[in-house]
Each structure stands twice: as C-alpha cells, then as structure tokens.
Amino acid sequence: QVQLVESGGGLVQAGGSLRLSCAASGRTYRRYAVGWYRQAPGKEREFVAAISWNGTTTLYADSMKGRFTISRDSAKNTVYLQTNSLKFEDTGIYYCNAGIIGNTYFPRAYWGQGTQVTVSS
C-alpha cells in the first residue's frame, strides 16, 4: 500500500512560484512512478507531470513544459513539483499519484488529498 500526502500549496501572485511536495510511504514506494495532476473548479482533472521511481524519466504536459519541473528525493520519499511563472489558469487542487511510467503515465489507485494552489492577478 502507498500513502501520499501533498503540501506546499498556497496563494501566489501571477508570475510567482511554489514548490509542491508529495510525501510517500509504504513498502512498494520505491518502485512506483509518481505523477502530478490538477483540477480546477468545474474542470476535469488533468495530467501535469510524472517521474519514474529512480528519477531518470520525466514527462510533462505540453502546457507545463518550461515552467514546471518535477524531481524526486528518494532519501526523503518525496517528489517535488516546482511551479514557476504561475498563471491564473494554474489555479486548482494539485494531487499526486503513484503509477507506472513509460512513453506516457498510467496512474493507479493511490492518491493524496491534494494541495490548493491559488494564483491571483
């Protein structure tokens, strides 16, 4: 079983940055890829980025490339999402998920509770 807890969200002005964290625990954590998703009010949940268990493979949604960076600190069992140049449309609840990565990312049924990111003008 994998447990995930997101943190690091908050209120930020457009153009600012936040570093989101996804802390994981569980016996199988090290062999899971981790992905970030977000959901804005009234919209579908969308893929943001993902990283392999060893950190060697990363994937990004096109709209996130160049602004967001995903990384992993295995010693701390934590995956980070560095969000830069934030826009109002980046507002939403950000969730992390344990899954499988290849040419695309396949989420599995391990989700955190989410962390709220609010970007003001």
Side-chain angles (χ1 to χ4, degrees):
Q1 188 177 21
V2 177
Q3 295 83 42
L4 304 170
V5 179
E6 301 93 337
S7 63
L11 176 64
V12 64
Q13 291 185 328
S17 301
L18 288 172
R19 191 188 194 194
L20 310 183
S21 297
C22 175
S25 62
R27 293 174 57 187
T28 60
Y29 165 75
R30 281 179 53 84
R31 286 292 178 174
Y32 276 92
V34 172
W36 283 95
Y37 287 75
R38 70 184 184 186
Q39 188 167 21
K43 295 185 178 180
E44 296 291 324
R45 182 179 61 191
E46 65 174 334
F47 173 75
V48 175
I51 190 168
S52 62
W53 68 271
N54 59 6
T56 60
T57 302
T58 58
L59 297 173
Y60 296 92
D62 287 342
S63 62
M64 319 302 171
K65 292 179 180 177
R67 298 193 301 122
F68 292 7
T69 302
I70 190 168
S71 61
R72 188 166 195 159
D73 186 338
S74 296
K76 297 181 178 180
N77 292 340
T78 301
V79 171
Y80 303 100
L81 183 69
Q82 179 68 44
T83 66
N84 299 322
S85 302
L86 286 165
K87 308 171 183 178
F88 176 77
E89 52 264 39
D90 293 320
T91 294
I93 302 175
Y94 284 68
Y95 301 90
C96 62
N97 163 266
I100 300 171
I101 198 168
N103 292 327
T104 188
Y105 178 72
F106 300 90
R108 303 187 74 177
Y110 301 112
W111 295 91
Q113 296 300 304
T115 186
Q116 177 71 45
V117 172
T118 303
V119 184
S120 63
S121 61

